[in-house]
């Protein structure tokens, strides 16, 4: 009897997660200001810069930017997927309503994490198609799978950062705060151009940014990493993610 109850509870819990994910996905699909930049810009920038450079005889540039623009896309999916919608929901009293609903408190968080990872997967598949068909990039199947896995899971620390930004920003200010972080971090982490092409001071300061560490893992997967142990980069990302999530949940608990 107890085993049956436990199984039924788990099924009901996962059903809540899936329903929340479906509702959140439908909500975001109705927001072109999120869908278009998140899905289109990484592929557009890669086509302009990665494939253009590849067409000029630098296939290694196409491979490098395949990894870094995947990180760029995952970072955007995580940051924007959490911050703006969370700030709006806070101002509309969403969390007060959630407490009155017969749903697990974590359902909305799990749903938004799954959606950010789904968008990150769509982005890396777009880039893989462009890179393989037009950029001449060829990787073994296991290497492709590993690159996609790294990028999709790499969206999670940026979900946590977006959660933190959304927990402290107003609905009007959240997009500005995210862009102030998102765009400089992408540039200074070597996502748009290799750090070797930038002044040396940028290369020395790059480890400050979590996007740099995710990019280094992705670049090592495609054979273009500049050094550093993968576990060290992963540890930085895990620390940033856990720290940002803890601060955000503390803020939301107090505000709620």
């Amino acid at each position: 009897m107890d085993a049956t109850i436990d199984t039924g509870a788990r099924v009901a819990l996962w059903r809540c997660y899936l329903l929340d994910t479906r509702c959140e996905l439908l909500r975001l699909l109705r927001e072109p200001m999120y869908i278009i930049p998140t899905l289109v810009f990484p592929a557009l920038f890669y086509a302009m810069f990665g494939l253009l450079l590849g067409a000029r005889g630098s296939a290694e540039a196409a491979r490098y930017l395949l990894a870094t623009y995947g990180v760029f896309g995952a970072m955007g999916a995580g940051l924007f997927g959490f911050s703006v919608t969370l700030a709006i929901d806070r101002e509309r009293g969403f969390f007060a309503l959630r407490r009155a609903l017969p749903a697990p408190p974590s359902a909305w968080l799990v749903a938004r994490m799954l959606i950010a990872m789904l968008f990150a997967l769509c982005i890396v598949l777009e880039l893989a198609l462009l890179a393989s068909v037009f950029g001449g990039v060829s990787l073994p199947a296991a290497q492709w799978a590993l690159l996609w896995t790294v990028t999709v899971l790499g969206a999670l620390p940026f979900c946590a950062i977006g959660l933190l930004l959304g927990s402290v920003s107003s609905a009007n200010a959240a997009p500005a705060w995210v862009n102030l972080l998102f765009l400089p971090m992408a540039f200074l982490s070597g996502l748009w151009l290799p750090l070797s092409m930038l002044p040396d001071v940028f290369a020395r300061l790059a480890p400050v940014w979590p996007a740099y560490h995710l990019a280094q893992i992705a670049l090592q997967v495609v054979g273009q990493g500049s050094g550093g142990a993968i576990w060290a980069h992963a540890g930085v990302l895990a620390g940033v993610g856990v720290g940002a999530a803890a601060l955000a949940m503390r803020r939301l608990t107090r505000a709620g």
Side-chain angles (χ1 to χ4, degrees):
M1 178 66 72
D2 290 341
T4 302
I5 294 174
D6 289 343
T7 301
R10 285 195 293 268
V11 171
L13 179 63
W14 280 106
R15 185 170 182 271
C16 287
Y17 287 155
L18 291 176
L19 287 174
D20 242 306
T21 302
R22 177 178 178 273
C23 291
E24 287 293 335
L25 181 59
L26 289 174
R27 174 189 180 182
L28 287 177
L29 290 176
R30 298 188 180 105
E31 295 288 343
M33 293 303 292
Y34 174 76
I35 296 294
I36 294 175
T38 301
L39 293 181
V40 174
F41 283 0
L44 178 62
F45 291 160
Y46 181 70
M48 292 172 59
F49 300 110
L51 300 184
L52 178 61
L53 290 173
R56 290 182 175 178
S58 178
E60 292 302 305
R63 185 186 293 246
Y64 178 99
L65 293 176
L66 167 66
T68 59
Y69 274 117
V71 171
F72 176 69
M75 181 170 62
L79 288 173
F80 287 99
F82 267 82
S83 58
V84 179
T85 55
L86 176 58
I88 293 172
D89 289 343
R90 283 177 45 244
E91 292 194 354
R92 291 178 177 175
F94 171 80
F95 291 101
L97 175 63
R98 288 291 310 202
R99 287 195 298 271
L101 295 177
S106 60
W108 69 272
L109 181 62
V110 173
R112 295 187 189 195
M113 289 170 56
L114 291 175
I115 291 171
M117 295 169 69
L118 175 63
F119 275 89
L121 178 61
C122 292
I123 292 164
V124 295
L125 292 178
E126 289 176 349
L127 297 180
L129 180 64
L130 290 172
S132 58
V133 174
F134 301 106
V137 175
S138 178
L139 299 173
Q143 205 169 359
W144 280 116
L146 182 58
L147 178 62
W148 298 340
T149 301
V150 165
T151 308
V152 170
L153 293 178
L156 293 178
F158 300 100
C159 289
I161 297 172
L163 183 68
L164 179 57
L165 290 174
S167 70
V168 299
S169 303
S170 67
N172 290 331
W177 282 115
V178 175
N179 279 303
L180 279 174
L181 177 65
F182 178 50
L183 298 177
M185 189 194 308
F187 177 73
L188 297 173
S189 299
L191 303 188
W192 296 348
L193 292 171
L195 291 170
S196 59
M197 299 177 63
L198 301 176
D200 187 59
V201 64
F202 293 145
R204 292 198 300 269
L205 294 176
V208 171
W209 305 102
Y212 165 83
H213 297 280
L214 180 57
Q216 289 306 306
I217 297 175
L219 287 169
Q220 289 195 39
V221 170
V222 299
Q224 293 214 5
S226 59
I230 288 181
W231 65 263
H233 296 303
V236 172
L237 291 170
V240 168
V242 171
L247 291 173
M249 296 309 296
R250 182 179 180 185
R251 165 73 179 178
L252 292 172
T253 301
R254 288 182 173 180

